[in-house]
Amino acid sequence: MTRSRWVGSVLAGLLLSISGLLIWGGAGTQLALDAGHVPSATGNHHDRAKGPPWSLSVVHPYLKWQTKTGTRAGYSMALFQDGQLRYAIQHGVSDLEKHAKIGTDTRFRIASMTKPITAVAAMILVERGLIDLDHPIAHYIPAFADTMVWQDGTRIAPNRPPTIHDLLTFTAGIGSPNGSGRLDLDNLWSDRLYELSNSAALEARVNIMATLPLYNQPGENWHYASSLTVMARIIEIASGQSFEDFLDQEIFDPLGMTRTGFMPQENQRADIAALYTHDANQRLAMRPDAEFHPKGRVSGDGRLVSTLPDYMRFALMLWNGGTYNGVQILSEDSIAKMTTPYVNDGVLSQYDIEGLSWGYGLAIVTDAEATPMPDKDGDLFWSGVNGTHFWISPANDTVFVYMTQYRAPSDETGRPRGAEIPFVVQAVVNNRLR
């Protein structure tokens, strides 16, 4: 057992020992969802031993402590097992100034949890024969035919053209200034994209990307950046629709995700949780939404807003082989392709995390003993920079979605307090089902 995994287990055990509330399934619980919000999924149900009813009672007092101490303003989370709701709760407020409580209709900026949605959109078109995973990006966007690779301050020709598969696995070399340690290249991308990133239309932003050098030879390294924004533009070209309309028609409307969409203009944000950070005095302070300009709000990598029930519908569809509530979004074969570990190493290695691979738009646990999380081999997950998180455990047939709105100060080092909550739940669930 790794040191971080041992610490997580001790934390979960300690919290269990101090908790006395009954929150796990059944009468008298704090279930905040019902069939109207998230219908049960129709998967292969298992007759599991449910374990002690107090096992998730750890969470509620911990949430209360986090909000009382000013670590976060509020949270919303839910857990399904075997397609059935087992646990859900909202706690705290969505806006400290307005004293607005978080509810099932509160919308959150899900940031990079947009990426799995973009990957699903791409696979819909792969199934229809409108996108080929092996095709070069330039097949759809000719400007990428002349894309070069940055090597030691020089632009060189790529060994091969970057493909759709490379985009979905983040191995195309598409960049963004995200602290890669390669300051010359980061600055080159930043200088060209900074002013356009929030004001220009998707097509214009992607065309600028095509003129910039790749971070690596196609297929060689995992580089977490703007690949799926390029993918979003290809979806527009292949489908003949705007990316926004395609998501609505093919994913959100069929799944009943009626409150999911790209960040609206400021006068339409009353139901969106305020985004917080900590100021110099360690007090929660509102963080402005300046980066969400109305003209540049569409992206394949982020900028969607969603609710807990909406994203749970999407996650249950992934868990259930592409079908949810009688609606098939993808085939089981396409879900299998999405969740195949294609990348052997490098996923989150900049944070000294091992044991992870990458499928299409999400991380896959390939060595649970090597990761710092209390996960299992085959688990799928991803997070958003504003504190949102989800994971799917095929081994446990468990789906968890967690929403909060907090971005750590830019000069903060280490993981901010409160970010461990999804992993506390994961530790409890895995210990009780193991």
Side-chain angles (χ1 to χ4, degrees):
M1 177 179 289
T2 63
R3 179 179 181 274
S4 54
R5 183 178 296 272
W6 177 83
V7 170
S9 297
V10 170
L11 175 61
L14 175 62
L15 291 170
L16 280 169
S17 69
I18 66 175
S19 172
L21 298 176
L22 180 64
I23 300 182
W24 181 267
T29 68
Q30 302 227 5
L31 295 180
L33 302 179
D34 57 33
H37 289 108
V38 187
S40 298
T42 55
N44 297 318
H45 303 298
H46 300 280
D47 184 19
R48 298 185 192 275
K50 298 303 179 190
W54 42 264
S55 60
L56 275 177
S57 60
V58 46
V59 179
H60 193 199
Y62 190 46
L63 294 183
K64 291 179 68 176
W65 178 73
Q66 292 278 314
T67 54
K68 185 176 181 179
T69 58
T71 301
R72 298 290 187 273
Y75 307 83
S76 183
M77 66 183 75
L79 185 142
F80 275 64
Q81 180 195 346
D82 298 326
Q84 308 295 313
L85 177 65
R86 298 299 181 193
Y87 166 79
I89 194 170
Q90 286 86 48
H91 183 78
V93 298
S94 61
D95 191 308
L96 290 170
E97 293 181 358
K98 298 177 181 177
H99 304 287
K101 289 186 177 181
I102 283 182
T104 55
D105 60 346
T106 301
R107 294 199 290 171
F108 300 84
R109 302 159 189 78
I110 63 172
S112 286
M113 279 167 56
T114 300
K115 291 176 171 67
I117 293 175
T118 301
V120 166
M123 292 306 294
I124 290 172
L125 293 175
V126 170
E127 284 191 353
R128 295 176 185 174
L130 297 175
I131 289 178
D132 190 312
L133 293 169
D134 295 325
H135 273 163
I137 301 171
H139 179 85
Y140 307 91
I141 306 175
F144 276 92
D146 298 322
T147 296
M148 305 291 278
V149 176
W150 190 258
Q151 180 174 301
D152 299 326
T154 303
R155 296 177 188 239
I156 65 171
N159 295 334
R160 63 167 177 81
T163 66
I164 301 301
H165 173 84
D166 295 331
L167 284 179
L168 290 169
T169 56
F170 285 84
T171 59
I174 301 297
S176 69
N178 63 353
S180 70
R182 302 169 66 181
L183 294 181
D184 54 347
L185 190 51
D186 283 348
N187 290 337
L188 184 61
W189 274 78
S190 181
D191 290 345
R192 295 298 306 274
L193 288 179
Y194 180 76
E195 293 185 3
L196 284 175
S197 62
N198 298 310
S199 60
L202 178 62
E203 179 180 4
R205 300 200 313 272
V206 171
N207 284 340
I208 289 293
M209 290 182 191
T211 69
L212 296 168
L214 302 178
Y215 273 67
N216 52 259
Q217 288 288 349
E220 283 192 359
N221 299 309
W222 185 83
H223 181 71
Y224 190 65
S226 303
S227 291
L228 294 191
T229 290
V230 178
M231 190 71 250
R233 177 57 186 152
I234 292 173
I235 289 168
E236 289 189 330
I237 294 168
S239 68
Q241 295 178 274
S242 71
F243 184 55
E244 191 168 15
D245 287 346
F246 186 85
L247 294 183
D248 285 341
Q249 179 177 315
E250 301 293 343
I251 299 175
F252 301 155
D253 290 346
L255 290 178
M257 299 170 64
T258 59
R259 300 181 62 76
T260 300
F262 285 101
M263 189 72 172
Q265 299 186 34
E266 289 190 22
N267 61 357
Q268 299 173 335
R269 300 181 186 178
D271 59 351
I272 298 176
L275 178 60
Y276 290 97
T277 187
H278 276 110
D279 62 19
N281 296 315
Q282 294 302 304
R283 292 191 295 260
L284 280 177
M286 192 174 295
R287 184 185 176 104
D289 282 327
E291 69 258 41
F292 293 101
H293 188 287
K295 292 183 180 179
R297 60 196 177 97
V298 175
S299 166
D301 291 282
R303 303 188 182 183
L304 280 177
V305 295
S306 188
T307 65
L308 172 72
D310 273 15
Y311 206 88
M312 179 59 78
R313 287 168 177 259
F314 175 77
L316 285 168
M317 179 274 296
L318 292 179
W319 165 77
N320 201 39
T323 299
Y324 174 71
N325 200 28
V327 175
Q328 182 175 329
I329 302 298
L330 285 176
S331 67
E332 290 189 10
D333 182 62
S334 290
I335 294 294
K337 288 179 180 177
M338 277 190 65
T339 56
T340 295
Y342 297 107
V343 180
N344 293 326
D345 54 48
V347 178
L348 297 185
S349 60
Q350 68 268 39
Y351 302 109
D352 296 324
I353 294 176
E354 299 179 353
L356 298 181
S357 183
W358 193 261
Y360 289 164
L362 42 70
I364 303 168
V365 177
T366 52
D367 185 355
E369 290 303 314
T371 73
M373 295 84 74
D375 45 29
K376 292 196 171 187
D377 288 348
D379 283 3
L380 317 168
F381 76 95
W382 204 236
S383 303
V385 70
N386 298 319
T388 57
H389 187 91
F390 85 104
W391 49 262
I392 300 169
S393 180
N396 289 337
D397 287 312
T398 303
V399 181
F400 177 75
V401 176
Y402 167 81
M403 300 286 197
T404 192
Q405 292 288 259
Y406 176 84
R407 179 131 19 133
S410 58
D411 60 347
E412 182 170 321
T413 59
R415 184 178 295 277
R417 288 183 303 127
E420 72 277 6
I421 289 175
F423 306 110
V424 171
V425 175
Q426 192 173 31
V428 173
V429 169
N430 279 342
N431 285 337
R432 72 192 301 280
L433 293 179
R434 192 166 295 183

